Amino acid sequence: MIVITFKEYFDALLEGKLLGLKCKDCGAYTCPPKAVCDSCGSRNLEKVQLSGKGVIRTFTTTYIAPAGYDKEVPYTVAMVELEEGPWIVGRLDFDKADEVGQGLIGEEVEVFGKEMPTEMFYPDKKRRVVPYFRLLR
Ligand SMILES: [Zn+2]
């Protein structure tokens, strides 16, 4: 059974809300939503709203884009450990993070969604919502 559809997940993200799953068996959180608990594999899951806050654990800035993304460079992709435990991937809401440096690691951020141009390799896809992180300091 699907507890959260991708449409629901991305609609919420555009409103600044991060949805995830809470396991009714082990209590762990899973985000982004999947069919089973990331921790124990259970399907006994409920939809929850997460805080959307976390800490940058690592990041990388892209200057030379893969085909189709050339208008978006430079952009920085970060891995953020959420307060609830899961790690999610998104972009930082400023460019050239590597010029800011390793000090970004450990910074607190908040997630939000941004609607971006659709990708050339997925012509059937009607829209593209990208998770972004803003610094909380
Ligand atoms: Zn579980």
Side-chain angles (χ1 to χ4, degrees):
M1 194 187 82
I2 302 294
V3 182
I4 306 175
T5 62
F6 275 107
K7 181 181 185 317
E8 194 180 358
Y9 178 73
F10 287 117
D11 282 348
L13 206 53
L14 285 174
E15 292 168 19
K17 294 179 205 152
L18 183 64
L19 299 181
L21 299 167
K22 185 174 186 194
C23 179
K24 292 184 196 170
D25 291 330
C26 78
Y29 293 90
T30 296
C31 186
K34 296 174 189 152
V36 297
C37 170
D38 259 349
S39 180
C40 75
S42 168
R43 290 178 183 272
N44 193 11
L45 304 164
E46 65 178 334
K47 175 171 70 178
V48 290
Q49 186 178 331
L50 305 176
S51 70
K53 294 186 177 122
V55 168
I56 297 173
R57 290 304 179 202
T58 190
F59 66 90
T60 185
T61 299
T62 295
Y63 290 92
I64 299 173
Y69 297 87
D70 49 303
K71 290 191 184 78
E72 298 177 18
V73 290
Y75 58 84
T76 297
V77 174
M79 287 192 79
V80 166
E81 182 178 4
L82 297 171
E83 282 182 346
E84 293 85 356
W87 289 38
I88 63 170
V89 176
R91 291 188 186 185
L92 292 182
D93 72 345
F94 55 96
D95 301 335
K96 302 183 184 175
D98 58 344
E99 289 177 6
V100 180
Q102 297 300 307
L104 278 174
I105 291 173
E107 286 281 351
E108 285 182 58
V109 292
E110 183 175 58
V111 71
F112 64 102
K114 220 187 241 189
E115 191 135 20
M116 303 286 285
T118 52
E119 290 144 312
M120 61 188 285
F121 300 114
Y122 304 97
D124 298 340
K125 214 166 143 186
K126 300 273 189 300
R127 68 171 188 170
R128 170 174 164 234
V129 178
V130 176
Y132 268 80
F133 302 110
R134 67 169 76 91
L135 290 177
L136 284 177
R137 64 177 146 116

